[in-house]
Amino acid sequence: MEVQASRSPNKYQQHQMLKDKQVKDLIVDKRRLVEVPYTATLADTIKTLMANKVVAVPVAAPPGHWIGAGGSMILESDKQTGAVRKHYIGMVTMLDILAHIAGNGSADDDAHLTKKMMVPVSSIIGHCLESLSLWTLSPNTSIVDCMEVFSKGIHRAMVPVDGRSENVAGVELVESASCYRMLTQLDLLRFLNDQQELKAIMSHKVSDKQLQAITDTVFGVTNKAKVMDVIKSMRTASLNAVPIVESSNDIIEDHTQLVNGKKRKIVGTFSATDLRGCPVSQMQPLLKLEVLDFLKMLSGSPSYEHTGLRCSWREQVTCHPESSLGEVVEKVVSDHVHRVWVVDEQGLLEGVVSLTDMIRVIRL
């Protein structure tokens, strides 16, 4: 009896499919770049993030007066004349803003916090590692090369719609174009999630030792930690998010510091983006709350409904070690989150799978 050949694409075919597709295929439906001027205050920047439901914005300045983050020279120029209109000097994320709030001094009084929120956004570029560089990807970059870039922990890159750069293999620090789009890790995973050719790799368990998709070292905070202490801990460790775990009655814990989250019951998630939904006028008293109380109060505010954020204390986005990679990717795409916590049958933390992890293992 003749055995029918498998219809599943082999690894070469998968790789070829991803080489044939390009970054420009991913930005077809992307809106025009959301940005802020270098003179914008932090308060105005948070409002821009909230209104546009984004977690990072490039900062634009007049040309010729600034050195771009990481030595970058990413310019917007007139399409007809080529005259430079603006220079993108860096990227500011919510983690930069958190780091500024948790920086020197305290936020124990309204006046001090108000003063911190009125500084120009250009003054906090580079507070965190991610914003020390600003990257572009050519629209002609293959999906394979795009995956290579994002698998190294770069979360987003600007894509020139009509760029002049000849390089198509990786990220660039020099570019000039009349307009840009922002491409993120989540955009890439949304595309990969729809590719039938990747069903084989997507069927693997995240616990598969060959994949090494799970990061099993997880630092978290207890449910008794105050928001300001959580922010300071995240700043120190350069973490974009932390799991909130149940405090233990069996051991004495310092609720102002990060704790080992392994084998602890997860009851919530606090991320840098949660602060995006916090009205600046209400921020000072809310920062003194315990972290779960903060999230509950935030989710009940009218302004929170327009942020696009999910209630991170009600339902956790989790998976099990036996979950398939495809199931985990579907969770981040459908729930618009940037990580999935790995838990055992009792709901105790085993690890985390980040967007970087997912892209890295799909690329293998």
Side-chain angles (χ1 to χ4, degrees):
M1 182 178 68
E2 183 179 355
V3 179
Q4 186 175 3
S6 170
R7 293 180 179 270
S8 300
N10 59 34
K11 191 170 183 179
Y12 171 79
Q13 290 171 317
Q14 293 174 11
H15 190 270
Q16 190 60 44
M17 180 274 295
L18 294 174
K19 286 197 73 173
D20 292 340
K21 296 283 187 178
Q22 296 179 323
V23 162
K24 60 187 174 186
D25 299 318
L26 275 62
I27 63 168
V28 173
D29 298 322
K30 295 288 286 184
R31 64 184 171 185
R32 188 174 176 84
L33 190 68
V34 177
E35 62 186 61
V36 293
Y38 73 109
T39 52
T41 65
L42 284 199
D44 289 335
T45 302
I46 290 179
K47 290 176 183 176
T48 298
L49 293 169
M50 184 187 301
N52 292 280
K53 300 179 182 179
V54 294
V55 299
V57 285
V59 180
H65 299 286
W66 294 81
I67 298 175
S72 61
M73 281 292 292
I74 300 175
L75 311 172
E76 181 182 289
S77 55
D78 185 273
K79 190 171 185 178
Q80 301 300 323
T81 67
V84 177
R85 293 191 294 245
K86 63 183 73 168
H87 177 194
Y88 292 105
I89 61 174
M91 187 84 67
V92 168
T93 70
M94 279 306 307
L95 193 58
D96 289 302
I97 297 174
L98 286 183
H100 175 71
I101 291 173
N104 295 331
S106 67
D108 290 337
D109 60 83
D110 287 330
H112 190 82
L113 182 60
T114 299
K115 185 177 179 180
K116 283 195 168 189
M117 298 307 292
M118 293 308 292
V119 303
V121 66
S122 56
S123 67
I124 70 161
I125 293 173
H127 268 32
C128 296
L129 290 175
E130 185 179 348
S131 59
L132 283 175
S133 296
L134 187 60
W135 304 102
T136 66
L137 274 171
S138 165
N140 299 317
T141 302
S142 73
I143 298 300
V144 168
D145 288 331
C146 178
M147 292 173 71
E148 165 73 14
V149 169
F150 284 164
S151 71
K152 303 302 184 185
I154 294 176
H155 295 164
R156 56 188 61 83
M158 295 167 62
V159 180
V161 175
D162 53 357
R164 301 172 185 175
S165 173
E166 296 297 323
N167 185 289
V168 297
V171 285
E172 285 291 308
L173 286 166
V174 179
E175 183 59 86
S176 179
S178 62
C179 62
Y180 293 83
R181 301 290 184 268
M182 185 68 74
L183 185 71
T184 68
Q185 287 181 319
L186 195 56
D187 294 325
L188 175 60
L189 281 167
R190 192 175 291 113
F191 168 82
L192 297 174
N193 191 45
D194 291 335
Q195 306 308 307
Q196 292 298 311
E197 295 89 344
L198 296 177
K199 291 182 75 172
I201 184 66
M202 292 291 195
S203 66
H204 284 255
K205 298 175 182 178
V206 290
S207 58
D208 188 326
K209 291 186 178 180
Q210 287 185 316
L211 292 186
Q212 295 185 331
I214 301 174
T215 300
D216 57 11
T217 301
V218 187
F219 292 105
V221 297
T222 74
N223 57 309
K224 292 184 179 179
K226 297 290 197 303
V227 175
M228 180 52 84
D229 291 326
V230 175
I231 292 173
K232 289 179 178 178
S233 296
M234 291 170 64
R235 174 184 185 257
T236 301
S238 295
L239 295 173
N240 283 292
V242 287
I244 305 167
V245 298
E246 281 187 349
S247 58
S248 174
N249 294 323
D250 300 327
I251 56 176
I252 298 174
E253 294 187 292
D254 183 352
H255 302 296
T256 67
Q257 302 293 325
L258 293 174
V259 298
N260 183 359
K262 197 78 178 280
K263 293 298 182 182
R264 302 283 292 267
K265 179 75 173 178
I266 181 170
V267 294
T269 301
F270 182 85
S271 74
T273 55
D274 286 318
L275 200 68
R276 189 183 75 195
C278 182
V280 175
S281 60
Q282 301 175 28
M283 190 177 294
Q284 191 273 330
L286 291 178
L287 293 180
K288 299 177 182 179
L289 295 177
E290 290 185 355
V291 62
L292 274 185
D293 291 336
F294 169 83
L295 293 175
K296 291 175 183 178
M297 288 194 67
L298 205 59
S299 64
S301 73
S303 60
Y304 191 83
E305 298 177 6
H306 304 292
T307 63
L309 298 173
R310 65 191 314 278
C311 294
S312 56
W313 60 274
R314 287 180 180 164
E315 180 184 350
Q316 300 313 303
V317 181
T318 61
C319 69
H320 298 291
E322 303 306 303
S323 299
S324 70
L325 178 60
E327 290 172 332
V328 176
V329 172
E330 177 61 35
K331 284 176 182 286
V332 300
V333 169
S334 59
D335 289 312
H336 304 283
V337 295
H338 296 84
R339 66 207 55 79
V340 176
W341 305 113
V342 184
V343 299
D344 63 17
E345 295 302 323
Q346 286 75 45
L348 304 181
L349 266 173
E350 291 287 346
V352 63
V353 185
S354 69
L355 301 190
T356 298
D357 294 326
M358 296 174 207
I359 294 170
R360 172 178 51 79
V361 297
I362 294 172
R363 182 182 167 274
L364 289 178

